[in-house]
Amino acid sequence: MVFSASQIALLINGKVEGNPDAAVQSFGKIEEAGAGQLSFLANPKYEEYLYTTKATIVIVNDSLELKQTVSATLIKVKDAYSAFATLLGKYQEFRQQQLKGIQQPVFIAATASYADDIYLGAFAYVGEQVKIGSGSKIYPGVYLGDNVTIGNNVTLHPGVKVLHSCQIGNNVTVHAGTVIGSDGFGFAPQADGSFSKVPQIGNVIVEDDVEIGANSTIDRATIGSTIIRKGAKLDNLIQIAHNVEIGSSTVVAAQAGISGSTKIGKGVMIGGQAGIVGHLQIGDGAKINAQSGVSKNLEPGKAVTGSPAHEYTSALRSQALSRKLPDLERRIKELEQLILQLKPTIE
């Protein structure tokens, strides 16, 4: 796919400085891009590369004042980073629009139903009573269990597994290898020390506009539903246990784990490798720093760090003091020596 500078400017509401017919067919980082590639400059730290880049077209902020001449055609916009992100989205959307039809071999149960404009990749499995909405893209190797519902404009990347009775809303993206609806970790201790499995008969509901990263796992509820609310964004390698609720527009970074029945509020930010114990309430807008261990409820807007997690600024102050402990110890020992030296005089 080849696009001219004037076409790109139209898409991102930009102004061309240079050759409006300059054409590109791929993207590149400004320090590495070559002829026929499009790049962008948003961070002033990389401005030096603007004057040496081999990129054909570069998107820049309209506030940028050039210090030297540039060989690339420039497209000036209010916010280069946002414009570039918009352009990438349009490019991906254009590519996906070309994916339509049903490849072979696939298995589609006789009771399944789907819109005419879907894409269903080879080796996909579509179980009984499955429903797939308009414009959805089901990549090769995806498994959809019985009674699964997939909304409109959903993208399930290769190897995604959506187990029986789970529901996926509209405009949802799930990346490769993720499992939605695996059994929750429920085992009842027995008198003899063994554990008896508790059947997990609930499901998972993923609401509209959610994105879920690769190789994440979202367990079905024991009873009821595990719920990912509208607009939540989950990174790769995340574990969400049974009956958890993730609030709308909450973001969770990679390798975080959320234990059973915990309720996460709206607009919460959870850092990488954070761990949250079960049956907690995390208030709206709370911030949990990377590698924090949360064992108590958090009120709305609370920011915590550490393990066990505690108030953010207090934790930083404690860390600063702990770094001074060796010096404090040395000063105490010097003071003790001084007291010993002065003791005969005082007596």
Side-chain angles (χ1 to χ4, degrees):
M1 293 179 284
V2 178
F3 298 92
S4 69
S6 57
Q7 289 173 322
I8 294 168
L10 191 62
L11 285 171
I12 58 176
N13 195 29
K15 179 182 177 182
V16 178
E17 287 193 2
N19 180 10
D21 297 321
V24 292
Q25 56 189 6
S26 62
F27 301 92
K29 296 191 292 185
I30 193 166
E31 66 270 32
E32 299 175 356
Q37 289 192 306
L38 169 73
S39 190
F40 78 104
L41 173 66
N43 190 335
K45 185 171 68 174
Y46 294 95
E47 184 179 340
E48 62 180 287
Y49 295 111
L50 177 63
Y51 309 112
T52 59
T53 186
K54 300 296 190 295
T56 299
I57 301 173
V58 181
I59 299 170
V60 299
N61 292 327
D62 54 19
S63 60
L64 176 69
E65 296 183 5
L66 295 178
K67 299 179 177 66
Q68 304 175 35
T69 58
V70 296
S71 59
T73 292
L74 302 182
I75 300 177
K76 290 195 167 184
V77 294
K78 184 177 181 180
D79 183 341
Y81 187 80
S82 294
F84 191 70
T86 297
L87 192 60
L88 289 177
K90 294 287 186 184
Y91 176 77
Q92 187 175 51
E93 190 177 301
F94 184 78
R95 285 187 59 207
Q96 289 189 341
Q97 283 175 354
Q98 300 178 72
L99 290 174
K100 288 184 181 179
I102 299 174
Q103 297 179 338
Q104 294 298 330
V106 294
F107 174 83
I108 304 174
T111 57
S113 61
Y114 49 88
D116 293 336
D117 62 347
I118 71 162
Y119 164 69
L120 188 61
F123 301 102
Y125 179 99
V126 181
E128 301 287 348
Q129 303 294 336
V130 168
K131 295 179 176 62
I132 304 174
S134 176
S136 289
K137 314 295 182 186
I138 312 299
Y139 278 77
V142 169
Y143 173 89
L144 303 179
D146 295 347
N147 300 301
V148 162
T149 300
I150 304 294
N152 300 325
N153 301 312
V154 170
T155 300
L156 303 182
H157 285 281
V160 168
K161 309 294 187 291
V162 184
L163 279 67
H164 67 88
S165 304
C166 293
Q167 301 173 22
I168 309 294
N170 301 318
N171 308 310
V172 171
T173 299
V174 184
H175 291 277
T178 284
V179 179
I180 296 173
S182 47
D183 275 2
F185 191 63
F187 295 90
Q190 304 299 298
D192 62 359
S194 64
F195 291 88
S196 176
K197 184 176 176 64
V198 177
Q200 307 291 294
I201 63 172
N203 71 343
V204 175
I205 297 174
V206 178
E207 295 185 347
D208 298 347
D209 305 317
V210 168
E211 182 153 348
I212 301 170
N215 292 321
S216 292
T217 52
I218 303 175
D219 292 347
R220 68 177 54 250
T222 306
I223 298 173
S225 299
T226 301
I227 304 175
I228 313 299
R229 298 288 184 191
K230 183 176 180 178
K233 311 298 180 186
L234 311 182
D235 200 355
N236 304 328
L237 297 167
I238 288 171
Q239 159 63 12
I240 296 176
H242 58 92
N243 292 93
V244 166
E245 292 187 21
I246 304 290
S248 60
S249 299
T250 282
V251 292
V252 186
Q255 298 183 14
I258 302 171
S259 300
S261 298
T262 284
K263 313 302 180 190
I264 309 290
K266 297 182 290 185
V268 173
M269 301 178 71
I270 300 175
Q273 295 187 336
I276 303 175
V277 306
H279 303 274
L280 296 186
Q281 298 281 341
I282 307 299
D284 296 348
K287 294 179 175 61
I288 299 170
N289 201 26
Q291 295 190 329
S292 295
V294 180
S295 58
K296 297 179 180 179
N297 293 338
L298 296 183
E299 62 191 48
K302 187 82 169 180
V304 297
T305 190
S307 186
H310 53 291
E311 198 273 328
Y312 188 75
T313 54
S314 175
L316 292 182
R317 196 173 295 116
S318 296
Q319 291 171 17
L321 286 172
S322 68
R323 288 193 291 270
K324 296 179 180 179
L325 285 177
D327 184 57
L328 289 172
E329 181 186 32
R330 178 186 57 78
R331 290 167 64 186
I332 288 170
K333 286 181 178 179
E334 289 175 353
L335 185 59
E336 288 175 341
Q337 291 296 323
L338 181 61
I339 290 172
L340 288 173
Q341 292 171 12
L342 294 174
K343 188 176 180 181
T345 304
I346 295 171
E347 292 176 345

